[in-house]
Amino acid sequence: MKRFRFMKRLPGTFMGALETNTLGDPFKRTASARTGASPAAKLAVIITCFNYEAFVERAIRSVLDQKCDACELVVIDDGSTDCSWEAISRCGVKAFKIENRGQLGACLYGLESTQAPFILFLDADDELKPGSLTKLLDELDERVAKVQFGLTLIDADGNALGPFCSLDSFRDRDRVLDEVLGRGVYKTPPTSGNVFRRDLCELLREVNYDKAVDGVILFAAPLFGDVVSLSEELGRYRVHGRNDSQLGQLPTAPLLERDMKRFAARTEHLRDIVRRLAPGRELIQPQQAFYYREREYCLEIVTGKARRSTSVPKLLVGLLAEPYSPARKLAMAAFFVFGAFLPTRAAKALLAIRSQGGHRSAKTYVRAISGCFPKLTRE
C-alpha cells in the first residue's frame, strides 16, 4: 500500500493512549464511542499501514508536527508482520491494530473511527509538507467534494526528486464531469494527494472489485460537488522498491492486465453512479477510452505481440482529443509509432523510459532509439 482507550486530546495535538484492539468491529459502535477526537474537527487524516515500519513514523510526524486543532488523526495497522505497530506506538496517536483487510478495508475501518466531514487518506510511506493542513482547510466548504494538490517525488531516504504530479489551479465541477464522462479519467494525483468529503467516501462500501481506495471516489467527485485543484505541492510521494505503481520500472504484463481490468470494473461502477446522480448523462465504454487503449498497447509491447502496429491509428486519433500540451502529444505519438515498428527489445526500452515518470520529449525517444541500434546490430 502504497485498537482502544483514549485520553483527553491535548490542545494543539492529536495525542491519545494506544491500546491494541483486534476483536471488536467499529462498524457496530456508535460514533461517540468510536472516536476520541474533538467534534469540531473538520478534517480527518487516516493513515493505513501494512509492513511500512521504515516510513510510517515519518508519515505520522508529518501530520502531528503541524499541530492543527481542526484536524484529527487515526492510524490503522492493517495486520503488519514487521515492527510497524511498535513504530506507531512510539508516536502516541489514536491507532488500531486489525487483522489484514487490504487498503480498502483498513481505510473503511479508519473512516468509521472518525467524525470529520472531510477525509485525507495518507499512505504510510508518504508525507504531508509543513503548513499543508491549514492550506487545505482554507479550501473546504460544503460545496467542495474533493481537493487535490501537487506532490513532490522523494526517494526512500526522503530526498526530493522533483514534481510527481504537477497540477493546474482551478475550482470547477461541470468541466471535470464532462471530462470524466468523455474519457473515464481526468488529471488527478494518487491517494495521498486528495481530500474527500465524507459522503463521497461512502461509495467505497460499494467496491468489491479492488483493494485500493484511489479509484471510483476520484472520478465520482464532480457528481457530488466542486473539485478544487491546487498547483502547490503540499505532500511528498515516496518512490521505493515496494510501490504498487512500480514507478520507474518496466511494467509487467500482470500489472497492465490488472490496471485494465480494474479500469473496466471501476468504469462500470461509475456508470451506475452516473445513472443514480446524473440520469440522462452517458459515460464512455471502458474499451473505447484512451486510458484503456494505451495500456492495451503497452501490454502488446511487453508480451511481444507482432501486430501491435494495428493499434496505432486508434491511439493517434484518440490522442488528438486528449487534454495534453502539443509537446506532450508529439512525444506520445512518437512513442506509439516507434514502439509499433521497432523490434520488441527496442520497444521495451522505450516503454521503460516512458515508465520513469514525468514528461518525455520526442527527442528523448529518438536518442533512445539511436542508442539501441548498435546493440541490436551486434546481437
Side-chain angles (χ1 to χ4, degrees):
M1 283 181 318
K2 215 162 181 251
R3 315 176 172 176
F4 40 83
R5 179 181 60 209
F6 304 112
M7 300 188 330
K8 280 188 178 179
R9 188 160 165 260
L10 301 178
T13 74
F14 298 95
M15 302 300 285
L18 275 170
E19 183 172 325
T20 304
N21 181 358
T22 58
L23 299 177
D25 190 331
F27 291 67
K28 299 177 181 178
R29 298 188 177 91
T30 63
S32 60
R34 282 196 305 262
T35 74
S38 165
K42 190 175 182 179
L43 173 63
V45 180
I46 298 173
I47 298 177
T48 59
C49 176
F50 176 72
N51 287 352
Y52 271 167
E53 63 172 301
F55 309 122
V56 65
E57 188 168 351
R58 280 183 274 187
I60 294 171
R61 295 295 177 191
S62 76
V63 178
L64 291 179
D65 289 348
Q66 298 189 49
K67 297 181 171 59
C68 184
D69 287 328
C71 298
E72 57 179 322
L73 171 66
V74 61
V75 183
I76 311 298
D77 184 338
D78 187 30
S80 295
T81 57
D82 63 0
C83 294
S84 292
W85 181 248
E86 287 76 5
I88 295 168
S89 301
R90 287 194 296 270
C91 298
V93 295
K94 175 182 174 183
F96 305 89
K97 184 174 179 63
I98 63 174
E99 294 181 358
N100 182 259
R101 302 183 180 188
Q103 186 193 35
L104 176 60
C107 284
L108 284 172
Y109 196 109
L111 189 66
E112 288 293 329
S113 304
T114 61
Q115 292 179 310
F118 290 93
I119 311 296
L120 194 163
F121 296 112
L122 180 65
D123 286 344
D125 54 342
D126 297 336
E127 301 172 14
L128 295 179
K129 291 188 177 182
S132 59
L133 291 174
T134 299
K135 293 177 181 178
L136 291 170
L137 287 165
D138 287 342
E139 302 293 336
L140 302 178
D141 61 58
E142 67 278 0
R143 292 181 293 112
V144 172
K146 191 190 95 154
V147 177
Q148 61 183 33
F149 50 92
L151 297 171
T152 301
L153 191 67
I154 60 174
D155 62 18
D157 297 321
N159 300 307
L161 302 176
F164 172 62
C165 186
S166 299
L167 301 171
D168 295 327
S169 292
F170 63 81
R171 176 169 178 161
D172 202 289
R173 180 176 185 177
D174 294 338
R175 180 182 62 80
V176 178
L177 179 57
D178 288 343
E179 191 169 350
V180 169
L181 295 176
R183 301 176 60 223
V185 297
Y186 66 99
K187 190 171 184 180
T188 176
T191 311
S192 297
N194 300 274
V195 172
F196 303 97
R197 204 169 66 207
R198 178 174 286 270
D199 58 338
L200 176 59
C201 295
E202 292 297 321
L203 292 176
L204 294 172
R205 303 187 191 282
E206 303 175 8
V207 175
N208 58 7
Y209 51 84
D210 196 4
K211 294 183 178 180
V213 296
D214 56 347
V216 72
I217 56 176
L218 292 173
F219 304 99
L223 290 163
F224 282 72
D226 294 345
V227 173
V228 177
S229 181
L230 305 177
S231 60
E232 185 175 0
E233 296 171 11
L234 299 180
R236 300 185 180 98
Y237 181 90
R238 193 183 308 277
V239 59
H240 53 91
R242 293 173 54 208
N243 290 90
D244 180 67
S245 62
Q246 296 187 13
L247 183 68
Q249 305 175 44
L250 179 69
T252 63
L255 178 65
L256 290 166
E257 290 169 347
R258 184 203 67 178
D259 283 352
M260 292 163 59
K261 182 179 179 181
R262 185 163 59 183
F263 176 77
R266 187 191 73 210
T267 304
E268 292 310 313
H269 183 194
L270 187 59
R271 192 183 314 283
D272 180 64
I273 298 168
V274 170
R275 290 193 189 103
R276 284 182 267 159
L277 301 181
R281 302 298 300 270
E282 294 294 330
L283 177 65
I284 191 172
Q285 294 296 324
Q287 291 76 14
Q288 296 175 355
F290 181 80
Y291 176 95
Y292 185 96
R293 285 177 171 167
E294 182 184 21
R295 277 149 185 78
E296 189 174 42
Y297 174 75
C298 293
L299 180 61
E300 292 171 353
I301 291 177
V302 169
T303 57
K305 185 176 179 180
R307 295 183 58 79
R308 56 181 177 268
S309 58
T310 59
S311 303
V312 172
K314 288 183 178 179
L315 281 169
L316 295 178
V317 171
L319 181 59
L320 293 174
E322 291 295 297
Y324 302 138
S325 67
R328 186 176 180 187
K329 287 184 177 182
L330 179 61
M332 294 176 73
F335 167 68
F336 295 144
V337 173
F338 292 147
F341 296 99
L342 286 171
T344 298
R345 186 185 296 271
K348 286 183 177 181
L350 295 186
L351 181 56
I353 293 173
R354 178 85 190 282
S355 303
Q356 291 173 4
H359 300 327
R360 302 292 176 224
S361 67
K363 290 182 179 179
T364 302
Y365 295 117
V366 172
R367 286 196 295 268
I369 293 168
S370 300
C372 285
F373 278 121
K375 297 179 183 178
L376 293 172
T377 302
R378 288 196 298 271
E379 294 174 1

